[in-house]
Amino acid sequence: MLSRAAFLQSSTAARSFARRALSSTASFDKVGVIGLGLMGHGICQVSATSGAHSSIVAYEPEQQYLDKGKDRIESSIAKLVKKERMTQEQADESLSRITFTTDVSELSDADFIVEAVIENMDLKQTLYESLGQVCQPSTIFASNTSSLSITEMAAFSGRPENFVGVHFFNPVQLMKLVEVIRTEQTDPLVFEKAYNWVSDIGKVPVRCGDTPGFIVNRLLVPSLMQAMSMVDRNDASVKDIDLSMQLGAGHPMGPLHLSDYIGLDTCLYIVEGWVEKYPNEPSFMIPSCLKEMVEAGHLGRKSGQGFYYWDGDKRGDPVA
C-alpha cells in the first residue's frame, strides 16, 4: 500500500503528465462514444466521417444495443452514399475508423470520451466512477446531457478539471449547433480543446456555463411551459397558440407541436427536475395539462396522441 506521501507524489505526477498531454492544440486522436442510441450513434457517425480522428471507440455494455447502434450508423452512411453526399470509398474509410465493443477497457487510452446514455443521474454516477478508474489521467470526459448538472457528473469522475458538457441536438447528423459547457472546476485548456473539437467535426460550438438547460433549453423549455399554461387557463386554443408563434414569431413549428414532437414525458422529466432543484425559480413550473397527459399515457408523437393526434411522424388535428 502506498504511503500518503507516495500517493500524493504519484497523484501530482499524474496530473502533471495529464496537463502536458493536453498542451497540444491538435485534435484528439482517439475518441470514445458511450451509448449508441438516438444521440450517441449520431455523435459517433459525425466523428468518424469528419476524418479528424484515427479511431473512434463505440461502446455499449450490451451486445444487442451495440448491434442496433452499429446498424443505425451503417444505414445512415449508406443513405449518404445513395444521395451522392459521399463516395463508397469515403463511407468504407469512415466505418473502418470505428471499433464497436462491449469491453469498457477499450476506452482506457482514449483522448476524449463523449457520454450519451439515458438521462439518469444514478446511472451516470456509476458510469463516471468506473471511467475515472479505467481511463488514463489525461482523458477528457464530456457529457451530452441536455438538462443534468455537469458539475455533479464531474465530481463523480474524480477529475472535475477534465470534464465538460457537449450538448448536441437531434438529429445530430443535420443539426449544426453544439453547446460546450464549462464548470467552475473545468481547466480552461480542457475547455478550449473540447470547443475546438466541435469545429473539427464540422459543427458550430457555443460557450456556456453550467446553468440549468444551458442556453437553448433554458430559454426553450420555460416557453413551452408558458404555452401549456395558456391551455390550462383556456386563454387560446392549441391550434391558435401554435399558429401565432409560427406566423408571428417565425418559428418553424409552434410550442405545443414541438412539445409533442420532443415527447411530453421528456418535457415533464426535465421540468420536474428543475422545479425540485430550483424551487424558487419562477420560470420553472409544471402545467396541469402536461402532468395529466403524461399520467394518461398521452406522450405526443411517440404514443400517437398529445396536444395533437399523430400517425407516426405525421401530425394530425389538435385533440379536442
Side-chain angles (χ1 to χ4, degrees):
M1 181 178 292
L2 287 174
S3 68
R4 176 174 174 78
F7 173 78
L8 290 173
Q9 185 177 10
S10 65
S11 296
T12 300
R15 287 195 296 270
S16 177
F17 172 80
R19 189 161 184 85
R20 288 197 305 273
L22 287 166
S23 63
S24 170
T25 57
S27 180
F28 303 113
D29 184 47
K30 184 174 182 178
V31 170
V33 178
I34 299 177
L36 296 181
L38 183 65
M39 301 300 292
H41 90 276
I43 295 169
C44 184
Q45 179 184 323
V46 297
S47 298
T49 57
S50 71
H53 319 295
S54 66
S55 63
I56 297 98
V57 177
Y59 169 75
E60 275 279 7
E62 296 184 32
Q63 189 66 45
Q64 60 175 326
Y65 297 118
L66 185 71
D67 292 341
K68 187 174 181 180
K70 182 180 180 183
D71 289 345
R72 275 177 155 173
I73 293 169
E74 290 175 343
S75 175
S76 181
I77 288 179
K79 289 178 182 176
L80 294 176
V81 173
K82 187 175 182 180
K83 294 178 180 178
E84 299 184 345
R85 294 180 182 173
M86 69 165 49
T87 65
Q88 186 61 54
E89 182 180 0
Q90 290 170 327
D92 293 341
E93 185 178 354
S94 296
L95 289 169
S96 72
R97 296 188 183 104
I98 307 174
T99 298
F100 295 93
T101 184
T102 58
D103 180 3
V104 72
S105 69
E106 294 272 5
L107 296 165
S108 63
D109 61 344
D111 300 305
F112 186 67
I113 295 175
V114 181
E115 165 267 309
V117 304
I118 62 173
E119 295 284 68
N120 180 298
M121 190 61 94
D122 291 337
L123 174 64
K124 292 177 188 283
Q125 177 175 357
T126 300
L127 173 63
Y128 282 119
E129 287 174 347
S130 174
L131 285 177
Q133 298 297 315
V134 168
C135 296
Q136 61 187 356
S138 61
T139 302
I140 298 171
F141 296 155
S143 177
N144 180 57
T145 184
S146 62
S147 62
L148 299 179
S149 169
I150 301 297
T151 302
E152 287 186 36
M153 287 182 276
F156 299 147
S157 75
R159 54 180 77 185
E161 71 283 357
N162 276 21
F163 205 108
V164 296
V166 286
H167 179 217
F168 288 76
F169 291 82
N170 182 41
V172 173
Q173 293 90 333
L174 299 179
M175 299 292 279
K176 298 292 288 184
L177 184 70
V178 178
E179 296 171 320
V180 186
I181 301 99
R182 65 186 181 278
T183 73
E184 292 183 1
Q185 290 78 40
T186 303
D187 185 318
L189 187 58
V190 166
F191 181 83
E192 290 304 318
K193 285 185 75 75
Y195 183 89
N196 291 336
W197 171 76
V198 172
S199 296
D200 290 342
I201 63 170
K203 300 299 182 182
V204 178
V206 292
R207 303 169 189 266
C208 186
D210 189 19
T211 186
F214 317 131
I215 299 172
V216 174
N217 284 335
R218 181 63 186 263
L219 297 172
L220 176 64
V221 174
S223 73
L224 302 183
M225 298 305 110
Q226 285 297 321
M228 295 178 199
S229 294
M230 293 187 76
V231 173
D232 282 344
R233 297 191 300 265
N234 200 29
D235 291 336
S237 69
V238 168
K239 178 182 177 181
D240 286 347
I241 290 170
D242 278 349
L243 189 62
S244 295
M245 293 307 292
Q246 285 181 274
L247 301 184
H251 292 189
M253 65 177 72
L256 302 173
H257 180 177
L258 178 58
S259 297
D260 267 8
Y261 193 85
I262 293 169
L264 300 183
D265 53 337
T266 301
C267 294
L268 181 61
Y269 177 83
I270 291 171
V271 77
E272 279 184 334
W274 289 356
V275 167
E276 180 180 355
K277 194 163 185 178
Y278 307 98
N280 297 321
E281 173 53 64
S283 63
F284 298 161
M285 41 80 74
I286 304 171
S288 298
C289 63
L290 175 62
K291 197 165 187 178
E292 289 167 3
M293 283 192 287
V294 172
E295 288 175 352
H298 302 321
L299 311 180
R301 175 178 58 96
K302 67 178 73 174
S303 69
Q305 181 177 331
F307 288 103
Y308 295 86
Y309 293 108
W310 291 82
D311 181 9
D313 286 340
K314 185 179 179 181
R315 195 202 77 184
D317 292 330
V319 176

